Amino acid sequence: MVKKEFKPSPEQEAAVGHYLRGGDLKLLAVAGSGKTTTLKLMAEATPKKRLLYLAFNRSLTEEARGRFPRNVAVKTLHSLAWHEVVRNNPRLQAKLGEGEAHGQVRPHHVAKALRINDPLLAMVVRDSLARFLRSWDPKPRPHHIPEDFRQSRAHLDGKRWADLEAFILQGVETLWNRMRDEDDPFPLSHDGYVRIWAERGSRIRGFDAVLVDEAQDLDPVFAHLLELHKGTLQRIYVGDPRQSIYRWRGAVDAMTPLSAPEAHLTWSFRFSDRLGEAVRRVSARSQGGLIPVLGKAPWETVVDSREPAPPFTVLTRTNAWAMHAVLHYEPVHRDRVHVVGGVEELVWL
């Protein structure tokens, strides 16, 4: 069997052309449009350049390692920071921990450190700490406190809420100071060593360009780190602001405000244009505006509202809706369920 030669789409060729002209680039790509393939084409077009591929999700980097040529180093954003901050520091390695607790700050750590008896309050302080670490705010701010907790305490009068807010924010600042103290036993989180790296004004060295995948889900601290390299490192931001799935953890859209030329990948090879037409019709009436997606898959795609029959896949945006889907479709799947990516995080939550 003769393998059919791959031919890039006109949009992919245009994106590579933008890259070859140098300078930053925003590559706005719909789902299934071959963005990783496009990045691979860029790397292959400049074999003498040293490129860094960055992704937040480990599964993305594991897939990318088998696809990119040798001139591309593939890393998660956190592994890049770990290499610079933790790798040669035994004391920080000890604070990071091992096994199940590796890089995790649990509510019981917070409760013990701040002498909190209320487990819910300990969890709120823990979540506020995590939001602060992922931000680029110099100090803990009220917006780091989870909004659902704020709403649940709407019945409190002004002074009682002000006292509670001040306690939470002071607790976050105390825990951050303890976390970055190498001699303090309070655990170090993964977001903690990223924040340490950022506060040191660290730089990405040894590369000509950085390819940032899923840029619509960058944490503010990572967006800040990449902004430090403006004019010194070619930055290719890839993603789609409409596909942000990490807003719940403080991620920001780093693509829209970026001042750089744009290239678009609107051809999706996951479905036919019957679904593409449905997406265009629905999105044209939505607040976000028209999604210019074209379905280019060679197979037919059915669009209807009937209950699915096994085997089928349900896409959800949150953990809560994943649980809802499992329960809602139980009469159909009859307990034969697989969650892509595993259920460890759901169980922990």
Side-chain angles (χ1 to χ4, degrees), residues 169-311:
L169 297 181
Q170 181 57 55
V172 169
E173 189 164 4
T174 298
L175 296 179
W176 169 228
N177 289 331
R178 292 190 58 179
M179 180 183 288
R180 57 184 173 178
D181 183 348
E182 297 180 3
D183 297 318
D184 191 290
F186 189 80
L188 173 68
S189 71
H190 294 294
D191 292 325
Y193 61 72
V194 171
R195 179 87 185 200
I196 292 173
W197 188 51
E199 290 192 352
R200 291 177 180 176
S202 302
R203 292 290 192 272
I204 298 173
R205 297 180 177 85
F207 297 96
D208 301 298
V210 56
L211 314 174
V212 187
D213 206 348
E214 304 294 358
Q216 76 277 357
D217 281 320
L218 281 174
D219 289 340
V221 67
F222 279 123
H224 167 78
L225 282 166
L226 290 167
E227 189 61 21
L228 293 176
H229 297 80
K230 184 176 182 178
T232 63
L233 182 68
Q234 185 179 13
R235 301 169 300 172
I236 311 298
Y237 290 84
V238 188
D240 183 351
R242 297 183 180 93
Q243 296 184 52
S244 178
I245 61 174
Y246 287 107
R247 295 276 174 87
W248 60 272
R249 54 169 275 134
V252 297
D253 172 18
M255 300 191 69
T256 301
L258 182 69
S259 177
E262 290 185 6
H264 296 261
L265 298 179
T266 63
W267 293 13
S268 180
F269 301 98
R270 292 180 182 171
F271 46 80
S272 74
D273 204 45
R274 176 173 290 187
L275 178 55
E277 182 182 11
V279 171
R280 294 193 298 274
R281 286 185 175 185
V282 171
S283 63
R285 301 178 183 179
S286 68
Q287 187 175 3
L290 174 69
I291 300 177
V293 58
L294 297 171
K296 291 291 184 176
W299 54 80
E300 190 56 60
T301 303
V302 177
V303 181
D304 63 37
S305 57
R306 291 176 295 179
E307 286 285 293

Side-chain angles (χ1 to χ4, degrees), residues 94-143:
K95 284 171 68 69
L96 194 62
E98 298 178 351
E100 183 183 355
H102 181 69
Q104 299 287 347
V105 174
R106 305 295 195 194
H108 69 84
H109 295 136
V110 175
K112 181 180 179 181
L114 299 180
R115 298 181 180 179
I116 297 175
N117 295 321
D118 182 351
L120 175 59
L121 182 57
M123 181 171 289
V124 168
V125 175
R126 189 278 312 272
D127 290 349
S128 302
L129 171 65
R131 288 168 180 261
F132 163 68
L133 294 178
R134 293 190 290 262
S135 76
W136 189 237
D137 295 320
K139 295 184 65 175
R141 304 295 187 194
H143 64 264

